[in-house]
């Protein structure tokens, strides 16, 4: 056998062995073989958060916009999703392992630029009706909420995301964004095992306590920051504080989301910390309440 033919035969035999081993951890790549038989446990997932949005144009236009070149989302949920085999169809425009461009300048917990670390889901919804004398928000349809619950539930299970990792665009970019808005049924998602929600009895206990002796505005800012919002503890009623409070209220107390500090918002914030971030309540700056002389219900957050 000439040397060249002999080499080819050996190569072919080796290739067959390697190709045969693909399922056992050897992968033939472009010019090299990757041996994947040893795997490290020291890694983490790109996906740490799910960010929910609404897109206020109809599905065809929204899809066109989200297919680039400037913005995108991993998933889009139509107002009335099509069904296949009795299950809702959602559009997936970007692979989960790739960054979609949906979050923009954003921050949550200790992270910024959440495009890097999140899956973005756009839900078709008109948002607020600015023309009406009384602002009206379009309700999300039952069918799309069922689809969102199935989709986010699956993502949560696959990446083992904690409840506090499911956020709205407004939560991570409160001065720029209001979506998914106060009509989004966060409590229903919680009832389906998705996202965070405070326990009602815990909120009631904190409300009673704060009616006797309210936290300061600085303490409320510290509590919101401990929960995940990017909020400096200024002690001032500044634009950032109002925007964060508005986002927080749209998420957890949608009956009033003017962004004003109040006892109930504080009670919700502390109840969320008690449930999801108990370590934050070890901080004496949150647990020490200094009752002003003559304080009682109604004093609230006087500067
Ligand atoms: Zn958005």
């Amino acid at each position: 056998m000439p040397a060249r033919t002999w080499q080819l035969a050996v190569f072919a035999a080796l290739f067959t062995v390697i190709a045969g081993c693909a399922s056992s951890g050897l992968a033939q790549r472009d010019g090299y073989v990757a041996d994947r038989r040893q795997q490290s446990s020291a890694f983490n997932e790109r996906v740490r958060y799910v960010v929910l949005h609404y897109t206020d144009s109809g599905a065809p236009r929204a899809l066109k916009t989200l297919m680039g070149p400037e913005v995108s989302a991993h998933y889009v949920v139509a107002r009335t999703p099509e069904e296949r085999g009795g299950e809702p169809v959602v559009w997936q425009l970007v692979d989960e392992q790739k960054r979609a461009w949906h979050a923009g300048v954003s921050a949550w917990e200790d992270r910024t630029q959440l495009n890097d670390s999140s899956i973005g889901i756009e839900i078709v919804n008109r948002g607020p009706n600015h023309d009406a004398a009384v602002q009206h928000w379009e309700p999300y349809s039952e069918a799309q909420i069922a689809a969102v619950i199935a989709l986010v539930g699956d993502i949560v299970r696959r990446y083992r995301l904690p409840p506090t990792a499911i956020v709205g665009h407004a939560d991570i970019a409160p001065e720029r964004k209001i979506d998914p808005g106060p009509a989004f049924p966060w409590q229903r998602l919680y009832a389906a095992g998705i996202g965070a929600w405070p326990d009602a009895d815990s909120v009631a206990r904190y409300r009673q306590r704060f009616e006797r002796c309210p936290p300061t505005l600085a303490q409320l800012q510290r509590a919101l920051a401990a929960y995940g919002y990017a909020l400096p503890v200024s002690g001032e009623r500044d634009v950032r504080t109002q925007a964060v409070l508005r986002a927080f209220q749209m998420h957890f107390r949608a009956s009033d989301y003017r962004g004003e500090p109040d006892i109930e918002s504080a009670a919700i914030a502390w109840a969320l910390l008690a449930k999801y971030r108990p370590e934050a309540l070890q901080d004496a700056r949150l647990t020490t309440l200094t009752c002003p002389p003559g304080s009682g219900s109604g004093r609230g957050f006087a500067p």
Side-chain angles (χ1 to χ4, degrees):
M1 193 184 286
R4 175 91 182 132
T5 313
W6 184 84
Q7 281 169 346
L8 278 175
V10 169
F11 177 78
L14 260 178
F15 182 79
T16 309
V17 169
I18 288 169
C21 287
S23 60
S24 60
L26 293 173
Q28 177 67 47
R29 302 256 176 91
D30 189 6
Y32 69 101
V33 175
D35 183 343
R36 295 162 50 90
R37 288 174 297 183
Q38 282 74 234
Q39 293 282 297
S40 174
S41 61
F43 69 96
N44 52 28
E45 301 280 1
R46 183 193 76 80
V47 176
R48 289 167 170 264
Y49 305 107
V50 173
V51 181
L52 299 177
H53 306 254
Y54 65 60
T55 180
D56 58 5
S57 44
R61 221 179 101 210
L63 268 184
K64 195 161 175 248
T65 307
L66 292 165
M67 285 168 76
E70 284 163 10
V71 292
S72 60
H74 293 90
Y75 293 98
V76 181
V77 181
R79 184 172 283 112
T80 309
E82 270 180 47
E83 285 194 9
R84 280 187 180 235
E87 297 189 332
V89 176
V90 300
W91 290 291
Q92 179 168 12
L93 307 183
V94 178
D95 188 281
E96 289 180 4
Q97 300 316 318
K98 305 276 195 285
R99 290 168 81 248
W101 303 338
H102 60 96
V105 176
S106 51
W108 186 249
E109 298 176 338
D110 54 352
R111 287 178 184 261
T112 57
Q113 306 300 334
L114 263 71
N115 281 341
D116 294 345
S117 53
S118 67
I119 287 178
I121 299 174
E122 292 276 0
I123 308 164
V124 176
N125 176 279
R126 284 196 197 90
N129 176 357
H130 292 295
D131 302 330
V134 177
Q135 199 175 53
H136 170 78
W137 293 74
E138 184 184 44
Y140 287 83
S141 80
E142 286 298 317
Q144 67 186 165
I145 291 308
V148 168
I149 285 172
L151 171 61
V152 182
D154 177 49
I155 293 168
V156 163
R157 285 187 291 275
R158 283 191 282 114
Y159 296 99
R160 295 191 174 89
L161 300 181
T164 50
I166 316 305
V167 291
H169 200 184
D171 293 314
I172 62 168
E175 283 182 67
R176 298 189 302 114
K177 297 293 175 179
I178 55 172
D179 59 322
F184 189 76
W186 289 104
Q187 193 173 5
R188 281 189 54 195
L189 264 68
Y190 172 74
I194 298 164
W197 197 257
D199 293 336
D201 55 346
S202 179
V203 174
R205 276 199 305 276
Y206 278 111
R207 191 195 290 124
Q208 270 187 353
R209 187 173 148 199
F210 293 161
E211 276 169 359
R212 290 195 304 275
C213 186
T216 63
L217 182 57
Q219 285 176 310
L220 178 58
Q221 289 169 329
R222 193 176 296 283
L224 292 167
Y227 185 67
Y229 291 89
L231 181 60
V233 180
S234 66
E236 303 289 328
R237 285 196 189 205
D238 45 32
V239 172
R240 180 77 187 175
T241 301
Q242 187 171 15
V244 165
L245 267 167
R246 181 183 61 177
F248 177 78
Q249 290 163 349
M250 284 195 294
H251 192 141
F252 294 107
R253 205 273 312 268
S255 60
D256 177 357
Y257 53 89
R258 289 172 296 167
E260 295 297 317
D262 57 50
I263 296 289
E264 190 182 37
S265 298
I268 293 168
W270 262 256
L272 284 167
L273 292 179
K275 187 170 179 179
Y276 299 110
R277 316 246 195 237
E279 70 287 353
L281 292 178
Q282 305 292 319
D283 186 339
R285 291 171 298 183
L286 282 176
T287 52
T288 308
L289 301 175
T290 310
C291 296
S295 67
S297 60
R299 265 190 74 90
F301 293 86

